[in-house]
Amino acid sequence: MRQIKVKSLNLKDNSERREGSGQGATYALPMIPLPELVVFPSAVTPVLVGRQKSLKAMDEAFANDSPVFMVLQRSPTIMEPKQSDLYEIGTVADLLQPMRLPDGNVRVLAEGRFRARLIEITRTEPFYLAVVEELAETYEQDAEVMAFERLIRQKFEQLVQSSRSLPPDVLITLSTIDDPMRLSDLVASLMDLKPTEKQELLETLSVKARLQKLATLLEREIQILELERRIESKVKEGVSASQREFILRERLKAIQEELGERDIFAAEVEELREKVAKLKLPDEARERALKEIDRLEKIPPMSPETGVIRTYLDWLLSLPWNKRTKDNLDIERAQQILDEDHYGLKDVKERILEFLAVRKLTDKTKGPILCFIGPPGVGKTSIGKSIARSMGRKFIRISLGGIRDEAEIRGHRRTYVGALPGRIIQGMRQAGTKNPVFMLDEIDKLGVDWRGDPAAALLEALDPEQNHAFSDHYIEVPFDLSEVLFILTGNVTDTIPPALRDRLEIINFPGYTEDEKVQIAIRHLIPKNFESHGLKREHLNFTEQALRQIVRHYTQEAGVRNLERQIQAVMRKVAVQVAKGKEVFVKVTPSNLSKFLGPQKFRLGEAEEQDEVGVAIALAWTGVGGDVLSVEVALLEGNGKLVLTGQLGEIMQESAKAALTYARSVISRLGITDRFTEKTDLHIHVPAGAIPKDGPSAGITIAVALISALLGLPVRKEVGMTGEITLRGKVLPVGGIKEKLIGAHRAGLKVVILPKENEKDLQDLPPKVLKELQLVFVKHMDEVLPVALNGFNEKFQQSTSLSATVVA
C-alpha cells in the first residue's frame, strides 16, 4: 500500500474551509456509505444511520470530535460496499444532534463542509476508514455567473410557491446567501431529485457549470408541477373517494410520460406478452391468452374488469400445459417401496404391480382408473403416495367429502364475483406437472342437490375417452388430463353413482388381522412415534403380548389409527418422566398395560366355559374384523309366540324363522314330539343387545341352538359355526371367512363348521390358524348336528347320515 501523508481535521467553521484551508490536502476520516442520499457542502441534511459499520464510524467521529466522509453508493442494495461500489466524490461533513430511535437506528444531522475525492479505503473493520483528498472548486465572478444566480433565485422561488413539499421559510434562508457556491449547493440539497442527479451536481466542480445544470433541473421540476396542476384542474370537479386512486395514477402517468419513463401498466402488458411467447402453450390456449392481453391493454387500469382479467391470465399461464416428469417404471423398485411403506395388503400390492407392469410394456397413457375401497385407516391414501414415489411423479390429494356443487369440480364461470377454477384444475396447478398421481379422496361421500351433480362432472375428468380435452368453466380452454394417474378412495361402493362406478376398477382393502396390526406396530408405528416424541429405544419397549392386548381390548377398528393413538398415549407418559430428567426404562407388558391406558375398553367374544343346552357359538364378521357371539334359545310356557331379541336385522330374523322351520322338521323326522306348541313360547336371543346384527350367516347356528333346546342335548363348547340355512336344511356359502376364522382362533375355539363351498377361501389364512383349528365342511344340516351336539350320534345314530368333510 502506498504511503499517503494525511492531516488532522478538526475545523468547526465551514467558512474557514472556504477561505483558509489548503486545497488538495488529504485526510484519514471515518466513512459512512449512503444508499440513496447525497450530502452537499453548506447544507444541513438529516441522515438515518442503521448499519453497524456506519454506527461505529459515527461513534468514532463523536469520540474524536472529527468529521466523517459521506459518499453515495452506486447500488442501494449492497450492505457492505467495496471501493468500486462507491462514487469517487463525496462530502466531508460534521455530525450534529444524534437521536437514537426505538428500532436501534440513529437520526443525525450532517452539515457538509467541502467536497472530497475518495483515494483509498485503508480499513473496513470495525468501520470504514477512508483517505480522502479535498477538491478545489473553480469559480470566476463574472456577468454570466451573476445571471445564472439571479435565474436560480427566481426559479427556486417559483418552485417553492408551486410545490407543497417546500416550506416558504427556505426563501428567507436563501436571501441571506450571497456566495454562488453555497447557493447552488443549498438549492440542490432542497430539491426532490434522483440521487444520481444530485451526485452529478456534486461532481460538477465548476460553479458556472453547476449553476447551469441546476437551472435546467429547476425548469423541469416547475413544468412537472404545472402538468400536475393542469391534470388536477381537469378531474377536480365531481371527484369522489372512489376516484382518488385513479387521479393519483393519472398524475403518475403524466409525470412518467414527461420524463420519458416507461408506463408501469404498459410494462406489465408487455411482460405478459413475453411470458406467452416463452411458454409452449397449445394453440387454443395461446390465442385465448393473447386475446385477453389485448382486452387488458384497452381497458383503463382502474376498471374492475382489469383485476378479473389479470387473475384469469395468472391461472391460464401458470398451468402445466407441457411440463411433465419422467416415469420410473422399475417393477422391482416399486415392489420394494410398497413393502417398505406397508405391511400386508398382498392382493392390493400385486394388483398395483400388475398395473405398473402393463403401463411399462404398452407405454400407453390410457388405462383403468383405480378405486381403493376399504374401511378407514387401512392405508388407502398412503399407498397412493407410495405409488407416486415409486413412479417418480408428483402426488396431489383432494377430498371430495361433502361436495354438493358441480362448480367445485368444473369451476365457476368468470361472470361470477370471485370465480375460481374447480378442484381438478387447482390440483394440476399445485402439482406443476401434467402427469401427477391425483388422488380423489372420499369419493363415496359426494352429495347431490339443486346446484348439480359433482359425480357427473367427474365423468369427463376420469373417462380416458374424454379427459384429453377436459373443460373447466373458468379456464374455458380444453386441458389434457389423459396423462394423469387418477386414484379414487372410499369406504363403500354403494353410494358411488353407477355411471361413475362403471368406469372404475375397484380394489378392495380388507381390514388388518390381529397379527398384521401387531407387525405394523412393531415395524412402522413404534419407530415413527419414537422420533416424534423425542424418545429412544433405551427409554421404552413394547412386548408383542402387550401390543396384542392393545389390539384386542383397547381398539376396535379395521385399520391402525386408534392403535397408533394408544401407543402415543403410552409414549407421552414415558416422555413426561424423561423430560423431568429421570433415568427411565419402561417395559410395557400385559400386566402393567392398565397403568398407562386404564381399564380395558372392549370385550371380545370367547368360547363358552361348558357345554350348554340351547346355546351355540356363531362366527361373525364386522367392519373391524372377525368375532364370535352366542345364540341363546329358551323354551317357556306361553301361547306359541316366537320372540327375537338382540337388535336383529330383518335378514337375520328371516334366517331365524327358516331355522325354526327346519328344526321342527328335524324333530318330526326323528320321531320326537314337537314341544313348540300353542302353549309354548320360543325365545331366541343374541347377546350384546346394544349392537345391531344382521345377515344370513348365523342360520345354521340358530338351527343348532333351536334343535339343542328342543332335544335337550347340549352344544359342544369348543365348536363354532357359520353358514346360511334353507328350509330344506342346505348350508349355503357366506363371506368373511378369513376374518371369522381368525376371530374363532382368537376366542379359543377348536372346531369350526363351514359351508362346503367356502373351502376355496382358505388361501390367505395364517398357517397358525389352519394348524390349530379343525375345519369341518358341510353341505347339509344333517352333517352339522352330529358335530355340534354332544350325544347326538349315540341317541340318533340310525337317523342321520354323517358325510361331513373334515380338514385337520
Side-chain angles (χ1 to χ4, degrees), residues 599-656:
Q600 296 179 357
K601 300 176 182 178
F602 302 102
R603 175 185 176 275
L604 293 175
E606 297 178 352
E608 297 292 333
E609 295 181 358
Q610 60 185 9
D611 298 350
E612 291 190 41
V613 175
V615 179
I617 303 297
L619 306 186
W621 178 89
T622 67
V624 297
D627 202 353
V628 299
L629 50 86
S630 301
V631 175
E632 301 175 349
V633 175
L635 300 177
L636 305 169
E637 292 185 4
N639 52 9
K641 291 191 302 183
L642 172 62
V643 180
L644 300 172
T645 58
Q647 279 212 62
L648 307 186
E650 185 177 345
I651 298 174
M652 197 168 184
Q653 291 183 28
E654 292 179 354
S655 184

Side-chain angles (χ1 to χ4, degrees), residues 415-539:
T415 52
Y416 293 98
V417 176
L420 284 174
R423 299 284 188 94
I424 301 292
I425 293 297
Q426 290 183 30
M428 295 303 297
R429 181 188 185 183
Q430 181 184 351
T433 63
K434 65 180 300 183
N435 63 337
V437 174
F438 205 127
M439 176 164 282
L440 303 174
D441 224 348
E442 312 293 353
I443 187 66
D444 56 327
K445 297 175 179 62
L446 281 175
V448 180
D449 64 9
W450 57 271
R451 290 170 292 184
D453 184 1
L458 279 175
L459 293 177
E460 184 184 357
L462 298 178
D463 192 341
E465 301 300 326
Q466 304 178 48
N467 63 7
H468 64 279
F470 174 72
S471 177
D472 185 274
H473 288 160
Y474 182 83
I475 299 297
E476 295 180 330
V477 177
F479 189 84
D480 185 5
L481 297 175
S482 61
E483 297 183 43
V484 178
L485 173 55
F486 284 103
I487 299 177
L488 282 63
T489 72
N491 301 129
V492 294
T493 58
D494 302 342
T495 55
I496 302 176
L500 181 58
R501 187 168 62 237
D502 184 60
R503 289 167 168 80
L504 307 178
E505 178 167 346
I506 294 175
I507 299 177
N508 289 299
F509 277 60
Y512 292 115
T513 65
E514 181 181 291
D515 289 337
E516 287 174 336
K517 290 181 182 180
V518 170
Q519 290 302 317
I520 290 171
I522 293 173
R523 300 185 186 198
H524 299 283
L525 302 183
I526 292 176
K528 180 179 76 172
N529 283 283
F530 266 138
E531 183 177 350
S532 63
H533 286 76
L535 298 176
K536 298 179 180 178
R537 293 191 178 275
E538 51 263 30
H539 295 140

